[in-house]
Amino acid sequence: MAGTVTIAGLSIGNGHPVRVESMLKIPLSSKEKCLEQCRSLASCGCELVRAAFPSPDLAGDLAWLNEKSPVPLMADIHFDPALALAALEAGTPSIRINPGNMTRARLRDVVASAREKQAVIRIGANGGSLNSVQLEKAGGVRSDALAAAVEEQLLILREEGFEDIILSAKSTSVHETVRANSLLALKYPGYPFHIGITESGYGRDGLVKSAAGLALLLGQGIGNTIRVSLTESPLEEVRAGYSLLRALDLRQRGGSLISCPTCGRKRIEVRTIADMVTPCLENLPDGVTVAVMGCEVNGPREAMDADFGIAGSPRGAVVFSKGTVLLKDVSLERVPELLERMACRNTAEKKQG
């Protein structure tokens, strides 16, 4: 089981929930907009936000955001150890670095600062940054070179006596990412892993590609924090992350929707009702399942485990719960109201319990 690291009170690893994170898509120089994005991300369940930190001129903006953000930050550092030190001085509780790109003397300074401030360091390699030497040592097998690159970085930090580490091996290839992380997890099970498919794209293809890789890893028990990297709003990345974790029964946040694919038997417009129901899901208690089914065949019977369901019937629509019909001939306009009532009832029951 992976060890635990803590980033500003957020525990990662060792049986804690798989954490969902994203990255600011606004430059730190626009600090008010960055704060607005952090607040929006927090409201939809984001637990860690990475921020690009390319210049020491932005240290003041980063410090300001660290103080204001409702979500812990991770500064994304490339090459320059001075930036890593500046990020830590600005109060950032975690940084992402490549120790192999830093001289040992400067790395010692970074490690000393991180230790003093109880900050976490994420190390990781990207498939696009592998060099010819790494590839040659791995016999040209990119996944093995990716794993070896992460191991090189890990050993450097361990030699410095630093252990508050998150490992990350990412590629735009699902197969490379899965194999690299599998190799690392077998060899270094004591560290938390951040997983993701980098540069996965956008829209349907991006979602499917990310889900394919993340599901293969999470199904093996690999992954303590995830990012669904998309050319989309960071909020969509977070929502997709929770959707994936719900599908794998790893985490529940709000309600979840199941709906039939429809066929010639449908008696109601399933997509129309599903669109009506979806905005209500985030306000439902965690783990509540809502079903929208087109007919009595797919209704109370096939969706009998649903906490709330609506299905078409010969005389209109019926509302059911756990396979039992509660209401008949229901007006579709009443569905949001019934969901809200159910949410209030379940919330009250939880408080009494």
Side-chain angles (χ1 to χ4, degrees), residues 8 10 15 41 43 57 78 83 90 111 127 151 154 158 160-161 216 219 222 250 297 303:
L10 178 72
L41 284 165
S43 70
D57 296 337
H78 285 276
L83 288 173
V111 167
E151 184 175 25
L154 173 61
R158 291 179 70 172
E160 297 300 324
L216 286 169
I222 300 170
L250 291 174
V297 174

Side-chain angles (χ1 to χ4, degrees), residues 49 293 304:
V49 175
M293 316 300 275
M304 64 186 306

